[in-house]
Amino acid sequence: MASSAARPVVREHHSAPDIVGTAVLGCCAVWALVCAAGRTARPEGVLLAVLAVAAGYACGRIAGTLLPAAAATAAALAGLGLACTVPDGMSGHGGAHAAQFTLAVGAACGAAWAARSAALRLALRLLAVAITAMALVAGSAVGCVAGALVLLCSLAVARTRRRLPGLAGLALVATVAVGGCWAMAEDALPGALSAPLRDRLGEHRVRLWHDAAQISEHAPLRGAGPDRFGELSPTAQQSAAAADDTPYSAPLQQAAGQGLPGLALLGTAFGWLLYALWRSPRHTPAVLTAAAALTALAVESAFGNALSFPEVTAGAGLLAGLATARLPETDPDSDPVPGPSPGPLAGEPPPLGPVRAAH
């Protein structure tokens, strides 16, 4: 009776992130349509990104419940395959390449934590090392560095049991990255920091950021409309590159196209993923590994155009879904779902093991 009494609480905790995610993604889609109303804007790209995240998340939840290690391994190999076969012209300054390598390393490390044998865990971690090396061979220095950081983070949290401090720290990293990008666009950084960043990013990209910031200042509520940056940015109009239709920064693109509410919704979507990971029934090292990969993707998207590709947004949703999937009934290794759990009823013995949510 104690088990049946506890199950509604576990199910409630586990369904809350799904409800929040549905509301957040729904608001993202609706606000894109609101910002496009009465203009020659094109909200299709935003709607496709929302659909890709939702589809990837749902597939990850299903596959992660049925075959945790196998599904994550397949996701890692698929990400590696996409990163190695995508044409250079499609990647646009390596944004898609770096993001795919990062997500592939995160999936391989997540598969290692889901594996039951030590030998299989070692093999999957060697796969993560191989993916990181492939990023360097493919010319994606950003993907190599991000993959190495995700791998090191996965190893460092092996004995961690408290996930909230780690998730809060990763959220702070993403916030600092977005703040630095915005300060760079507004020429608000000190010269000692601004000059090295300009040299690394290139003057052309910094000018695109500056145009995006100016557009958002002129239309802070609804922005200029989704997918209109290329026709409103003087820097983009002077460039022959088709990829310059975006400012190479997801936060600045949201602010220019959908105003400050659009930027807030983008941040809320990332916060929802971290919240879902906090409530995940998976054990903490797997959760923090996925969070590290998603944070690396957030940093890459702040300084590049990674989120402009549906395969990247779908991969992010897939990785989050794998890391928040329900545990199989036979899995003996797990952390309890964060949150209060009721004690046994008076006169009854305590339950013999952790309660599993009913499928």
Side-chain angles (χ1 to χ4, degrees):
M1 184 175 295
S3 297
S4 62
R7 280 179 182 169
V9 175
V10 174
R11 187 181 299 113
E12 178 183 355
H13 287 319
H14 199 259
S15 63
D18 298 339
I19 297 172
V20 173
T22 301
V24 170
L25 294 180
C27 289
C28 290
V30 170
W31 185 247
L33 294 175
V34 170
C35 294
R39 301 169 172 176
T40 58
R42 295 169 292 276
E44 295 84 1
V46 178
L47 298 179
L48 179 60
V50 171
L51 180 61
V53 171
Y57 185 76
C59 291
R61 288 286 296 271
I62 296 171
T65 299
L66 299 176
L67 298 168
T73 304
L77 294 175
L80 175 62
L82 285 173
C84 292
T85 58
V86 65
D88 292 339
M90 180 181 175
S91 60
H93 289 271
H97 269 134
Q100 288 162 354
F101 280 120
T102 303
L103 294 174
V105 171
C109 293
W113 285 118
R116 295 181 179 275
S117 67
L120 184 55
R121 284 189 178 184
L122 177 60
L124 290 169
R125 284 172 181 150
L126 290 177
L127 173 61
V129 173
I131 295 173
T132 304
M134 282 295 299
L136 185 61
V137 172
S140 177
V142 174
C144 178
V145 172
L149 290 176
V150 171
L151 178 58
L152 291 175
C153 179
S154 179
L155 296 175
V157 299
R159 298 187 179 277
T160 303
R161 291 295 174 263
R162 296 183 60 192
R163 61 185 65 175
L164 185 57
L167 293 174
L170 292 171
L172 179 61
V173 170
T175 303
V176 170
V178 173
C181 171
W182 196 277
M184 192 72 183
E186 295 283 1
D187 292 328
L189 285 178
L193 293 177
S194 177
L197 282 176
R198 283 180 179 272
D199 293 340
R200 179 64 182 86
L201 297 169
E203 189 65 28
H204 179 71
R205 185 177 303 196
V206 175
R207 288 200 303 266
L208 290 173
W209 289 3
H210 184 65
D211 291 348
Q214 285 189 328
I215 292 172
S216 66
E217 288 174 1
H218 287 106
L221 181 59
R222 291 178 60 204
D227 202 18
R228 293 191 65 203
F229 176 79
E231 63 188 66
L232 297 177
S233 167
T235 305
Q237 291 175 355
Q238 296 170 4
S239 174
D244 282 351
D245 286 344
T246 68
Y248 292 102
S249 173
L252 288 169
Q253 183 175 353
Q254 281 291 103
Q258 301 180 48
L260 296 181
L263 176 61
L265 284 172
L266 180 63
T268 303
F270 180 70
W272 158 62
L273 291 177
L274 294 184
Y275 170 68
L277 290 171
W278 180 50
R279 290 297 193 185
S280 171
R282 299 283 171 174
H283 51 296
T284 296
V287 167
L288 293 180
T289 297
L294 292 174
T295 302
L297 176 61
V299 174
E300 292 168 356
S301 66
F303 294 92
N305 63 340
L307 296 188
S308 297
F309 301 91
E311 62 268 26
V312 174
T313 52
L318 179 64
L319 181 62
L322 290 170
T324 57
R326 288 183 173 88
L327 288 163
E329 293 287 348
T330 57
D331 191 351
D333 300 320
S334 68
D335 289 339
V337 179
S341 58
L345 298 180
E348 292 187 355
L352 297 178
V355 179
R356 301 287 186 259
H359 290 279

